[in-house]
Every structure is written in C-alpha cells, then in structure tokens.
Amino acid sequence: MNARDDAKFPPVALWRINAMRFLFLLMALVMGSVVWSQLLFESADWPVMRGLAKSMLAALALLSLIGVRYPLQMLPLMLYEIAWKTIWLTLIAGRAWMAGKWTPDIESLFTDCIGIVIAYFIVPWRYVWARYVVQAMEPLRALSPSSQD
C-alpha cells in the first residue's frame, strides 16, 4: 500500500496504532511463550485436535510479531483473534454458564479469552469499515494491459 492508497481511508490516531502494536506484542509474547513452551516440551502425547489448536495459536503468535511493526496491515489478524474469541465466549462459554455446565477447563479458557474485550476499544472500526466493507473489491480477473496504470 502506498500513500495514495492510504488517503482513501479515514485517518487512524497514533495512540490507537501504538495501542494495536501493544496488543500484537502481548499476543506474541504472552500467548506465544505459553503455547511454544507447550509445543516444545509437552506435546508428545496430545490428542490430534489439541495439537492442531496449539499449532494454530503458535502461528498466530508468530504472525503477531509482524503486527508490532505493521499494525494496520496486520489488522485482519487482530480481527480474526477478536472473531474466534468472541464466538467462543458467546457460543461455548456463554451457553455453558447459562446451562449450569461451567467446568474448570471452560473457566481456564474463559480467563484466557476475556481480555479480547480490550481490543474492541482499540481497533479503528471506521478504518475497518472503509477498508474491508466499503472499498471496492479487487478484480476477479486481470485487467487488460492498456487499462493498468
């Protein structure tokens, strides 16, 4: 993306960009340190689905390091984090709580996920709307050579 492309989108306050950097850093360090130590030292006897989930979280932690440097470009990663945690909190934890089936495992994951609420206040939602909803879709096929600039 160049400066001309950025002009199409609402400006994002520097404090918000730096707050996103901090959230990406937290994702990388806190989640990454726990998940990577588990993968390296505890994963030999895990069920396949647990290994899969931990591997995906490890990849998320690694990619979060890029978000420290380029928070707006890595915003979709933050949106993914918000989406999956919100889905889990409402559809799994919320239903378990309402049904009286709260377990120590659910409580542990709830504690890990509830912090995502902070991201709702930091993500530049006007920018997200302009960039990912209002902006025209990229072409489905290549433009003819004469129409490219």
Side-chain angles (χ1 to χ4, degrees):
M1 226 178 353
N2 58 37
R4 188 177 67 180
D5 292 335
D6 288 341
K8 295 187 285 189
F9 306 119
V12 178
L14 184 59
W15 74 265
R16 200 175 289 270
I17 289 173
N18 287 328
M20 286 191 313
R21 281 191 169 109
F22 181 71
L23 282 180
F24 277 119
L25 186 62
L26 279 178
M27 286 168 55
L29 295 180
V30 175
M31 179 178 53
S33 64
V34 171
V35 172
W36 278 102
S37 67
Q38 290 174 339
L39 281 171
L40 293 172
F41 304 113
E42 303 171 16
S43 60
D45 297 321
W46 284 350
V48 171
M49 290 307 290
R50 181 175 177 156
L52 174 69
K54 295 292 182 174
S55 297
M56 292 176 73
L57 289 173
L60 186 67
L62 278 178
L63 290 171
S64 294
L65 289 172
I66 300 171
V68 173
R69 184 162 182 183
Y70 303 107
L72 286 178
Q73 290 175 340
M74 295 303 287
L75 194 52
L77 189 67
M78 181 75 67
L79 296 175
Y80 172 76
E81 182 80 354
I82 290 170
W84 85 258
K85 284 185 176 180
T86 301
I87 291 167
W88 188 87
L89 286 166
T90 55
L91 298 181
I92 306 300
R95 285 181 177 170
W97 179 71
M98 289 173 35
K101 296 182 179 181
W102 197 257
T103 66
D105 285 341
I106 291 174
E107 184 169 354
S108 174
L109 283 171
F110 177 84
T111 303
D112 290 344
C113 291
I114 195 63
I116 201 63
V117 171
I118 295 167
Y120 281 103
F121 299 102
I122 293 173
V123 168
W125 294 108
R126 285 183 53 225
Y127 179 89
V128 169
W129 180 260
R131 175 72 174 94
Y132 300 110
V133 178
V134 175
Q135 181 183 12
M137 187 173 98
E138 293 174 359
L140 294 173
R141 59 188 178 100
L143 299 173
S144 63
S146 62
S147 64
Q148 292 180 351
D149 46 14

